[in-house]
Amino acid sequence: MIKQIAASLCLLFAAVHPISAQPVHLASTEDDVWMIFDRVASDGMPLVVVARAGTAPAHMRLSAGHVTVVTCRADLANIGARGMPQGTAGLYALEDTLAVAPSFRAAGAVQIASVTGQGQRLMYLVHRDPLDVTPILDATPVQGFSCAAEEVEDRKALVQFLTPSPVDIRLDGDRRVIAVLHENGDDGLIPRKTDFWFYGRRGSLTDLADGLAAHGFSVDQWLSGPVGVVLTRDMPVSFPEFYELTPVILDMAERAGVEYDGWQTMLMSRP
């Protein structure tokens, strides 16, 4: 009861604005568009992937050009929980140094992704011409890490690994909107009405609504032109919540043969 009263007071005194999460449409340009998604290593340890998305020239080089991986292994004392390396700020500086190196630019090189986990960070570089980054690594040591470079042999496996799934794309969109909430002083932890849009045939939408009812969804309104339904759910809008919920929504929408078109909630910035 105390929590309910406290939440009601927060809602009453909040500055409320709508905010929406729609699918992320990635343009085929050389602009820096990055996605964050998760993978699991063969030993079950978590991996965090940060990949450049929507850059056609870079991805052409990934498929047909040269690919180098820079492996920076953390010292044993520099490995945190579940294999995540600590003190990675120096690695960001190394990435910046690589990006502006004359030999890097002359080879038409671009960093296309980084993968963090298992006590290391892997930086994947694609380049038009052959490139040896060892002199740059030797001249730019990173405290707490040992870095070395080698050519990637299994190109097909790497392309598959770095290609985001529909769930990865949707979760990245969720993460971006939740980040906007945080930037505006809303931690997302207060449960609030959150609406989800779906489009398709009326019968299929009815089946979807019936299936999602078991997950706390109810029909808010039916739409026409195009035919759709808005389902609503009272919930926090934190990323862990969507990390569990979004795969369920996408799976059930695919099974029902309908389109999931994102969610909307209220931005609650406290005075």
Side-chain angles (χ1 to χ4, degrees), residues 178-239:
I178 291 168
V180 173
L181 291 174
H182 290 183
E183 291 170 3
N184 286 273
D186 183 353
D187 60 16
L189 298 180
I190 299 173
R192 81 281 308 266
K193 182 178 184 290
T194 305
D195 297 330
F196 298 77
W197 269 257
F198 302 89
Y199 295 94
R201 294 187 302 108
R202 178 65 181 253
S204 300
L205 293 168
T206 299
D207 292 341
L208 175 72
D210 292 343
L212 285 176
H215 298 275
F217 288 82
S218 61
V219 174
D220 183 77
Q221 60 177 307
W222 289 96
L223 307 171
S224 60
V227 176
V229 66
V230 179
L231 301 182
T232 192
R233 188 175 189 262
D234 287 333
M235 57 180 285
V237 284
S238 61
F239 186 71

Side-chain angles (χ1 to χ4, degrees), residues 12-93:
L12 187 62
F13 291 103
V16 183
H17 308 281
I19 187 165
S20 301
Q22 300 293 337
V24 179
H25 299 289
L26 301 171
S28 296
T29 69
E30 278 294 333
D31 294 334
D32 283 332
V33 179
W34 295 87
M35 287 186 59
I36 302 175
F37 49 94
D38 300 326
R39 291 285 185 263
V40 178
S42 58
D43 60 1
M45 298 299 282
L47 301 173
V48 178
V49 180
V50 182
R52 189 187 294 265
T55 52
H59 283 271
M60 287 177 60
R61 290 171 204 160
L62 176 61
S63 300
H66 299 272
V67 182
T68 297
V69 57
V70 176
T71 302
C72 292
R73 303 185 188 279
D75 299 342
L76 288 178
N78 209 29
I79 301 176
R82 305 202 68 192
M84 287 297 166
Q86 306 298 302
T88 55
L91 297 178
Y92 301 143

Side-chain angles (χ1 to χ4, degrees), residues 36-38 170-180 239:
I36 302 175
F37 49 94
D38 300 326
R170 180 66 68 169
L171 283 172
D172 184 70
D174 295 337
R175 183 187 278 109
R176 291 170 188 267
V177 175
I178 291 168
V180 173
F239 186 71

